[in-house]
Amino acid sequence: MERMLATPADAEIILKLYQLRTEPVMRQARAWMTGEFWPNTPEEFFKVAQNPSDPHNAFFRQVVTYWEMAAAMVLHGAVSAELFVDCNAEGFFIFAKFAHMLGPIREKMPTFMNKTRSSSTGLRRLPRAYEAP
């Protein structure tokens, strides 16, 4: 993706995405996904991700689909990729936390977080943004 300056419309989209994240159930889902759900194996991952009877399955689906929707906006040019990355680290964090088992996940869920990953492709500054100082 080539670098482009953000517009006021881009800023409005970023602010709307932020507002959506403040909805109470979404906050609970995000807190669970970022702070409590740390599967060590694909089996632990699938126990939640592919089990509708698991009480956290809805949280998992809500968070993943939110970030995939947001990333789709970047991929389709609706929002500046640079601004999106500057304002939204959480989706990339969630993708990264499952990276160690992405192969087995993609065997059963081939499109798992594809948009989130693709939205960062070509952004040369992204790897530097997540390196320790």
Side-chain angles (χ1 to χ4, degrees):
M1 283 176 223
E2 71 181 55
R3 181 174 168 80
M4 62 179 174
L5 292 177
T7 67
D10 290 318
E12 286 181 36
I13 291 170
I14 294 295
L15 290 172
K16 181 63 178 172
L17 287 170
Y18 176 79
Q19 289 171 346
L20 291 172
R21 291 197 314 260
T22 65
E23 186 274 328
V25 175
M26 182 58 142
R27 279 191 186 269
Q28 287 180 313
R30 290 174 48 239
W32 174 81
M33 183 71 115
T34 60
E36 296 177 41
F37 185 51
W38 290 94
N40 291 310
T41 65
E43 292 76 21
E44 291 174 358
F45 174 88
F46 291 123
K47 187 176 176 181
V48 173
Q50 291 193 318
N51 181 4
S53 65
D54 185 282
H56 293 109
N57 177 271
F59 281 178
F60 174 86
R61 289 181 292 109
Q62 184 174 15
V63 172
V64 169
T65 59
Y66 170 84
W67 286 113
E68 285 291 270
M69 173 197 66
M73 291 181 193
V74 172
L75 295 173
H76 291 279
V79 65
S80 159
E82 294 284 334
L83 182 62
F84 181 80
V85 169
D86 283 347
C87 298
N88 295 291
E90 185 177 302
F92 302 109
F93 166 75
I94 291 168
F95 176 75
K97 80 186 275 186
F98 301 122
H100 70 284
M101 58 184 150
L102 196 56
I105 291 171
R106 292 250 173 100
E107 287 177 15
K108 290 186 178 183
M109 301 169 72
T111 62
F112 178 72
M113 296 199 81
N114 273 352
K115 292 175 188 69
T116 301
R117 182 189 171 281
S118 294
S119 68
S120 66
T121 302
L123 295 177
R124 287 177 271 129
R125 61 170 290 286
L126 184 62
R128 291 188 308 275
Y130 296 100
E131 289 176 3

